[in-house]
Amino acid sequence: MSTPSIQQSSTSSLSSHLWEGSELYRNAVMDLENAATVMDLDRNVMTRLKVPRRAVIVSVPVRMDDGSVRVFEGYRVLHNITLGPGKGGIRYHHHVNLSETAGLAMLMTFKCSLMELPLGGAKGGIRVDHTQLSRAETQALTRRYTMELMTVFGPESDVPAPDIGTDGQTMAWIMDTYSQGKGHAVHGVVTGKPVEIGGSLGRAESTGRGVVYTIEHSVKYLESKGKPHPKMDGSTTVAIHGFGKVGAVAAEELHMRGVKVVAVSDVSGGIYNPKGLDIPKIKDWIYNNRVVKGFPGAEWISNEQLLELDVDILIPAAVDDVITEKNVDRVKARMIAEGANGPTSSVAQQKLEARGVFIIPDILCNAGGVIVSYFEWVQGIQSFFWTEAEVNARLAHVMARAFKKVIGVKERYNCGMKSAALISAIENLSKAMLLRGLYP
Ligand code: GLU
């Protein structure tokens, strides 16, 4: 059932140059190549997976509050749609570019395939410092971006969701703009919507919750193998890089289980208390002060220092490429749970795994979000909504199944967790790609 392999089945250097501008994309391809070597992946499948299927670049003009017009760069990349509609978030950040968006879209393809969701991989974004925009400007930006992508988005073609810098309100504007264009409410066009307009219960917490589920599975796995492992109690210390949609929920879940979260951070820097931080109090503090800086009863540290703390578990839950060749030798955590997409560079990850650090790779660790996005999409299409307990039970089931599969592959190939997760994802996807074949 394999397509004939031909010697020259490589991507032309011209098309690679187009995509390869970011560390994130280059790392994603490097990780893919490593996994492909271990599993002896069909060359033609590999060639196709290294580049996205389609990318759209749009100019997004916005009338600012002062009457002037500014034009922002917007992107939407579909990496692969073999298994179903493109799925992936929309990022508002001043680093967004075509290459980073393409790399993130590739990660979505593998994440959805690993979780056995009938979805492909996509990602979008606008290059903007959204913290400098007013609510009206953000709304105008979002609606115009959606208008420009009216023919790209759709419940059966490409379904966005929140990511860095976007939230339920952003999704509500996208849903409304798209629905106005169609003349009726289209629930399935985005996920991560507020519950009042067809969102799913449990979606907002799903990524952080999933991160903690994978930590629990890892602890049990290491215990079953007789290897040193942290415990889910007060003897374990955790540092969390990024106290946002993912990090704050993970912190709360760990705190509820009695695990000691000793450091958290955001754009303002980090706070550290070796005795453990009071997470609910930090949430209240942020509600009033916006950032963690100034929280009483904790030492101020930088984001860089947080990553190098001597803790049992480190959760990078902010941006990509924070553990690299530059700082990897100073990273002391024994377990790394990748709440963010692409936080560890390919080289750093190999060094860490060689040192015996247990890495829970992004496409496994942070998949809770897209899993519940899938549930939301299904509920929207059926106009039949589930209870939060049903959502959480199904989330736990899908994550447990994926974790088990990754461990199976890790033991079969005697490889690291990153390669094992990618191999599991690609095994599923490549079968589908080969069955569907290449048209024409
Ligand atoms: N942005 C999230 C991620 O990177 C969620 C994507 C989605 O729900 O479609 O996985």
Side-chain angles (χ1 to χ4, degrees), residues 87-89 108 111 123 159 161-163 191 203 341 366 369-370 373:
K87 190 80 196 80
M108 288 309 303
K111 203 183 293 185
K123 199 84 177 193
V159 185
D163 197 78
T191 60
R203 172 63 183 85
N341 289 313
N366 71 34
V370 76
S373 272

Side-chain angles (χ1 to χ4, degrees), residues 76 86-91 104 107-108 111-112 119-120 122-123 159-164 166 191-192 203 206-207 245-246 339-341 362 366-374:
R76 185 70 182 173
K87 190 80 196 80
I90 292 175
R91 179 172 289 199
L104 290 164
L107 293 183
M108 288 309 303
K111 203 183 293 185
C112 292
L119 297 168
K123 199 84 177 193
V159 185
D163 197 78
I164 295 173
T166 57
T191 60
R203 172 63 183 85
S206 55
T207 313
K245 290 193 286 274
V246 181
N341 289 313
D362 48 7
N366 71 34
V370 76
I371 294 170
V372 179
S373 272
Y374 166 62

Side-chain angles (χ1 to χ4, degrees), residues 229-231 233-239 259-260 262 309-314 332-336 357-358:
H229 62 87
K231 294 198 177 92
D233 62 27
S235 65
T236 294
T237 53
V238 182
V259 175
K260 219 190 275 174
V262 293
L309 284 176
D310 188 0
V311 287
D312 297 304
I313 305 173
L314 172 64
K332 299 176 200 69
R334 270 73 70 192
M335 182 183 284
I336 296 179
V357 176
F358 191 85

Side-chain angles (χ1 to χ4, degrees), residues 119-352:
L119 297 168
K123 199 84 177 193
I126 303 179
R127 190 177 177 88
V128 58
D129 181 357
H130 72 287
T131 60
Q132 300 302 311
L133 299 188
S134 68
R135 183 184 157 89
E137 289 165 345
T138 308
Q139 178 169 180
L141 179 81
T142 305
R143 288 189 183 276
R144 181 61 188 244
Y145 172 77
T146 309
M147 274 310 296
E148 294 296 336
L149 293 167
M150 220 30 215
T151 54
V152 172
F153 294 151
E156 282 158 1
S157 52
D158 183 356
V159 185
D163 197 78
I164 295 173
T166 57
D167 58 15
Q169 177 61 76
T170 326
M171 298 306 115
W173 289 326
I174 295 177
M175 185 252 178
D176 183 67
T177 309
Y178 186 88
S179 299
Q180 296 292 349
K182 295 287 167 192
H184 55 91
V186 185
H187 289 121
V189 69
V190 280
T191 60
K193 302 178 290 293
V195 174
E196 295 77 4
I197 53 165
S200 175
L201 293 167
R203 172 63 183 85
E205 301 80 12
S206 55
T207 313
R209 227 170 239 163
V211 167
V212 176
Y213 291 167
T214 60
I215 293 175
E216 287 177 325
H217 289 305
S218 304
V219 167
K220 279 194 202 129
Y221 167 69
L222 291 170
E223 190 176 12
S224 74
K225 292 278 149 192
K227 295 200 174 142
H229 62 87
K231 294 198 177 92
M232 296 306 285
D233 62 27
S235 65
T236 294
T237 53
V238 182
I240 304 182
H241 180 250
F243 197 72
K245 290 193 286 274
V246 181
V249 176
E252 220 172 2
E253 291 278 328
L254 289 165
H255 186 78
M256 264 157 40
R257 287 161 172 77
V259 175
K260 219 190 275 174
V261 179
V262 293
V264 299
S265 68
D266 60 20
V267 283
S268 72
I271 48 175
Y272 173 56
N273 185 339
K275 294 203 187 92
L277 295 165
D278 187 335
I279 301 300
K281 272 203 184 132
I282 299 177
K283 287 195 83 178
D284 290 346
W285 172 267
I286 288 188
Y287 187 78
N288 296 314
N289 301 275
R290 269 188 2 101
V291 289
V292 294
K293 196 170 185 169
F295 179 76
E299 186 189 327
W300 187 87
I301 56 171
S302 67
N303 270 293
E304 291 71 30
Q305 284 171 312
L306 181 140
L307 294 164
E308 296 169 14
L309 284 176
D310 188 0
V311 287
D312 297 304
I313 305 173
L314 172 64
I315 307 181
V319 287
D320 60 272
D321 217 33
V322 293
I323 304 173
T324 64
E325 261 180 296
K326 289 193 198 117
N327 62 355
V328 65
D329 293 332
R330 295 189 297 276
V331 171
K332 299 176 200 69
R334 270 73 70 192
M335 182 183 284
I336 296 179
E338 295 189 329
N341 289 313
T344 316
S345 79
S346 214
V347 174
Q349 160 231 314
Q350 279 165 30
K351 283 192 162 185
L352 289 164

